[in-house]
Amino acid sequence: MGLVLRLLYVFPIESINYQFLLHGHSHVAMLGWVYLMIYSLIVHFFIPKTAQQKPVYNRLFWLTEIAVIGMTFRFPVEGYALFSIVFSTLHIFCSYYFCRLVWKDAKTNSLPEKQLLRTALFFMLLSTLGVWCLGPAVGLLGKASAFYQIAIQFFLHFQFNGWFLFAILALFLKHLNADIDKKIFQRFYNFLVSATVLTLALPVSWYLPYPIFHWINSLGVLLQLISFILFIQIIRPYFETFFSALKAVEKLVYGFALTSLFLKIVIQLVVLIPELAQISHQIRNFVIGYIHLTMLGIISGFLLGFVLQNTFLNGQKKRVKLGILLFLIGFTGTELLLFLQGSCFFFNKGQLPGYTENLFTASIFLPLGLSTLISGILLNFKAIQPQKL
């Protein structure tokens, strides 16, 4: 879907509604790929084997999958309409039930893991308040209203920076398997939760341009910086042992994820300058580049790292290695082009020669890499079937 969106800038196709396809792309990326991966990893690592064997986890997974498939086919053809709303609502109720199950069944090795996991679930529930506000917002004020736009940003903010990020951190600490200093962790946790709430002020300031929101966001960004300095302090004694045990492809993927996390923090520090905060929102290339940095760089990077480290993906297979390499090439190429073009607009240099064509070409590597990865999984699956029989 993302590749077709890029294609439409090169070869417009009248029969495809760009906005509808964009809705499909964003919903499937977040609620399909990321949500279902985190679902699977949380169940595998935090739910005891006896509880995992309950039919409810398997049935809930496939019911959620049906909701995702429904959104995949309905959003591109109708946008926000009856069937797409039904499927997205079904997904929300599935996620509510998932929260209840995990809250009840999860067993963690340490208090930090438990706090991060439960906070991730809380932020997921909190984010859906934005979705429930969309109907009243449209009915009372319309889609062009600040209320409607803020409701969308509320959902996205607490999904990306709350539910996804805290779940990733809980899983990472699980893999680090460290005896963490609880006092330092508590400071890190308090700063990060506070920063997550306060930095909502930035997207709010795009629609309610009052100076107070800039200062609230500035405080949030500084607290976030302190929290990740503390996070480095927490993991430093164990990171060399953790990293040295990884295979080359695992080091590469985790390296991309950590580099993307560092760049995200740097970008948020840069937009503390009020003029840059407003312009960064107005230049679409920066917005898309930042979203993809978070989704493909940080979140997908860590998720791929987890599945490679635990051999859910066999990183020693040539096709799997090739798929990951192609994906990372596509990610790097598209990010460079997006931020370079955004910088050209910022400095009034106009559009880069062949920008849309080059962006489309670089984007081909993303689905190509994932297709190669999937074919490697399927070939490996077929190879082990006769042994099982």
Side-chain angles (χ1 to χ4, degrees), residues 5-12 355-361:
L5 288 171
R6 297 269 164 84
L7 175 65
L8 293 177
Y9 280 97
V10 182
F11 300 109
Y355 168 70
T356 55
E357 292 83 358
N358 290 330
L359 187 61
F360 170 71
T361 302

Side-chain angles (χ1 to χ4, degrees), residues 84-374:
S84 58
I85 291 173
V86 166
F87 285 119
S88 56
T89 304
L90 173 62
H91 195 290
I92 289 176
F93 284 121
C94 287
S95 69
Y96 287 169
Y97 193 49
F98 175 68
C99 284
R100 180 178 179 274
L101 289 172
V102 173
W103 199 280
K104 177 170 59 76
D105 292 338
K107 302 294 180 188
T108 54
N109 294 334
S110 66
L111 182 62
E113 291 174 16
K114 183 177 182 178
Q115 279 188 268
L116 289 170
L117 179 60
R118 288 195 165 186
T119 306
L121 297 174
F122 169 77
F123 278 130
M124 190 236 281
L125 295 173
L126 181 65
S127 71
T128 61
L129 292 179
V131 178
W132 296 123
C133 287
L134 291 177
V138 173
L140 294 172
L141 301 170
K143 287 188 176 182
S145 66
F147 180 32
Y148 178 83
Q149 298 298 330
I150 289 171
I152 293 175
Q153 295 301 327
F154 184 94
F155 171 72
L156 293 175
H157 178 80
F158 286 116
Q159 282 275 312
F160 282 110
N161 301 298
W163 157 230
F164 291 163
L165 184 59
F166 277 79
I168 291 295
L169 290 173
L171 288 162
F172 183 69
L173 289 190
K174 179 76 173 179
H175 285 75
L176 197 63
N177 194 27
D179 184 17
I180 293 169
D181 185 312
K182 291 181 175 57
K183 287 185 179 179
I184 298 177
F185 173 81
Q186 203 57 50
R187 288 201 293 270
F188 154 74
Y189 173 82
N190 292 338
F191 280 130
L192 186 58
V193 170
S194 301
T196 303
V197 174
L198 293 173
T199 50
L200 174 64
L202 178 62
V204 171
S205 71
W206 297 338
Y207 307 102
L208 299 175
Y210 301 117
I212 185 64
F213 292 117
H214 168 71
W215 295 113
I216 292 172
N217 176 64
S218 299
L219 176 60
V221 170
L222 291 175
L223 291 180
Q224 179 181 259
L225 177 62
I226 295 169
S227 73
F228 277 101
I229 291 172
L230 289 169
F231 183 67
I232 292 169
Q233 189 177 345
I234 289 169
I235 68 172
R236 184 185 296 165
Y238 313 98
F239 193 72
E240 186 176 348
T241 303
F242 169 80
F243 207 70
S244 62
L246 300 176
K247 297 179 177 66
V249 67
E250 296 161 14
K251 290 178 181 178
L252 176 65
V253 171
Y254 273 125
F256 258 88
L258 291 168
T259 302
S260 298
L261 181 59
F262 171 75
L263 291 173
K264 175 182 181 291
I265 295 168
V266 170
I267 290 170
Q268 287 183 288
L269 287 170
V270 168
V271 296
L272 288 181
I273 302 169
E275 294 78 9
L276 290 177
Q278 284 299 322
I279 292 174
S280 66
H281 168 60
Q282 294 164 7
I283 298 176
R284 185 173 173 80
N285 309 75
F286 284 150
V287 176
I288 297 171
Y290 179 78
I291 291 172
H292 286 184
L293 180 70
T294 304
M295 276 285 289
L296 300 179
I298 302 170
I299 297 167
S300 296
F302 274 110
L303 291 175
L304 288 172
F306 297 148
V307 296
L308 285 166
Q309 188 180 353
N310 292 279
T311 63
F312 303 145
L313 274 180
N314 188 345
Q316 300 310 297
K317 296 288 184 181
K318 289 183 179 179
R319 197 176 289 252
V320 172
K321 282 184 181 178
L322 177 61
I324 290 172
L325 183 61
L326 290 171
F327 177 80
L328 293 179
I329 289 171
F331 166 72
T332 305
T334 53
E335 286 295 286
L336 288 173
L337 283 167
L338 284 165
F339 280 104
L340 183 59
Q341 180 60 76
S343 299
C344 287
F345 285 145
F346 178 76
F347 291 109
N348 296 315
K349 299 296 183 182
Q351 184 158 304
L352 293 167
Y355 168 70
T356 55
E357 292 83 358
N358 290 330
L359 187 61
F360 170 71
T361 302
S363 301
I364 292 173
F365 286 93
L366 293 167
L368 179 62
L370 294 173
S371 300
T372 305
L373 197 62
I374 292 168

